[in-house]
């Protein structure tokens, strides 16, 4: 009566062996799933969703400050070389303080070196001494007989200067270009002396400019273009 025992023994052994292999396979499966999760997480962390770059590169891009909230969550300990070696966390805290002091941290105002660039959409008050919300038209002589007409202050009335220069150049059949003014702001320089024709054209082309905001400058004296 020994044989049946040994058969059951061997079956048990086989069972346990099968059992072992099953367990091992299960473990392997779990392991694979775990790997997938880590890979998934890793893949998610590597690229910043704002600029599509690895976090280490974010600080060199103009979109950096838009990335800060994401970096704070995923890479708070990342050291920012361009920000004086502070970590993302420290930098985030600085930004918060600035915002509380009433300096909104706008990404567009920061250039790569962290220095603020004036945002074009914010109307700057420093457009020459008297150009707070006015358009000035001045004739400037280039040589004895050549004149250009300089129109400044259009940008205060949300006029797109490049488009305006094109329109005016077409209208007067001459060249018109956008130039920077020494005191900040930009002007449109139009070849020829069109000082007296220009005010009517400005009103016609750019409805946002009111008549009483247009001034002529002659010999350094300013007078209203429309009385």
């Amino acid at each position: 009566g020994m044989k049946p025992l040994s058969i059951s023994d061997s079956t048990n052994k086989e069972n346990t062996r099968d059992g072992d292999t099953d367990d091992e396979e299960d473990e392997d499966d779990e392991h694979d799933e775990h790997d997938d999760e880590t890979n998934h997480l890793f893949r998610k962390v590597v690229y910043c969703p704002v600029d599509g770059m690895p976090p280490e590169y974010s600080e060199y891009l103009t979109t950096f400050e838009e990335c800060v909230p994401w970096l704070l969550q995923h890479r708070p300990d990342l050291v920012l070389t361009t920000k004086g070696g502070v970590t993302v966390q420290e930098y985030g805290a600085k930004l918060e303080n600035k915002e509380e002091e009433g300096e909104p941290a706008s990404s567009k105002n920061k250039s790569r070196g962290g220095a603020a660039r004036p945002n074009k959409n914010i109307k700057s008050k420093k457009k020459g001494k008297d150009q707070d919300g006015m358009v000035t038209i001045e004739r400037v002589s280039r040589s004895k007989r050549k004149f250009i007409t300089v129109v400044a202050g259009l940008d205060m009335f949300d006029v797109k200067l490049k488009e305006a220069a094109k329109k005016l150049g077409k209208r007067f059949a001459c060249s018109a270009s956008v130039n920077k003014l020494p005191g900040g702001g930009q002007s449109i320089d139009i070849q020829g002396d069109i000082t007296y024709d220009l005010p009517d054209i400005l009103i016609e082309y750019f409805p946002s400019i009111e008549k009483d905001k247009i001034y002529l400058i002659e010999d350094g004296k300013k007078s209203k273009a429309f009385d």
Side-chain angles (χ1 to χ4, degrees), residues 30-156:
E30 280 170 26
H31 194 59
D32 289 348
E33 277 170 29
H34 187 62
D35 278 356
D36 283 352
E37 264 176 46
T38 359
N39 285 345
H40 181 58
L41 278 175
F42 192 61
R43 234 176 282 133
K44 223 160 132 187
V45 169
V46 167
Y47 297 102
C48 166
V50 178
D51 54 32
M53 297 289 278
E56 287 74 13
Y57 291 96
S58 297
E59 61 178 304
Y60 298 103
L61 303 168
T62 49
T63 47
F64 171 62
E65 295 203 353
E66 290 165 45
C67 306
V68 170
W70 182 87
L71 289 168
L72 280 169
Q73 268 187 313
H74 297 85
R75 295 292 302 274
D77 53 346
L78 179 70
V79 174
L80 303 169
T81 329
T82 60
K83 311 289 175 201
V86 296
T87 63
V88 170
Q89 208 160 3
E90 291 166 329
Y91 186 71
K94 270 191 193 174
L95 280 189
E96 272 176 32
N97 292 343
K98 269 196 185 175
E99 278 176 358
E100 281 165 21
E101 286 164 23
E103 289 181 31
S106 155
S107 60
K108 287 174 187 140
N109 285 1
K110 289 279 166 86
S111 63
R112 181 171 155 179
R117 270 205 309 265
N119 187 335
K120 283 177 192 161
N121 300 330
I122 296 170
K123 290 183 180 176
S124 166
K125 294 275 162 138
K126 291 177 187 170
K127 298 258 165 128
K129 279 178 194 166
D130 303 306
Q131 287 174 346
D132 189 3
M134 70 174 71
V135 174
T136 57
I137 299 170
E138 183 176 9
R139 186 183 78 169
V140 178
S141 64
R142 276 287 151 95
S143 63
K144 276 183 186 173
R145 291 186 186 177
K146 280 191 178 172
F147 294 99
I148 59 165
T149 304
V150 178
V151 191
L154 289 176
D155 41 352
M156 304 290 274

Side-chain angles (χ1 to χ4, degrees), residues 161-211:
L161 296 184
K162 276 187 181 170
E163 286 172 28
K166 264 190 195 169
K167 273 188 180 178
L168 295 170
K170 260 192 187 171
R171 178 71 178 74
F172 293 105
C174 62
S175 81
S177 59
V178 179
N179 290 300
K180 284 187 177 169
L181 291 167
Q186 291 180 310
S187 65
I188 295 178
D189 296 0
I190 306 159
Q191 277 190 348
D193 177 6
I194 51 165
T195 318
Y196 296 103
D197 303 323
L198 199 53
D200 290 311
I201 302 297
L202 291 179
I203 296 291
E204 183 189 324
Y205 282 2
F206 312 112
S208 60
I209 301 171
E210 296 152 32
K211 279 188 173 185

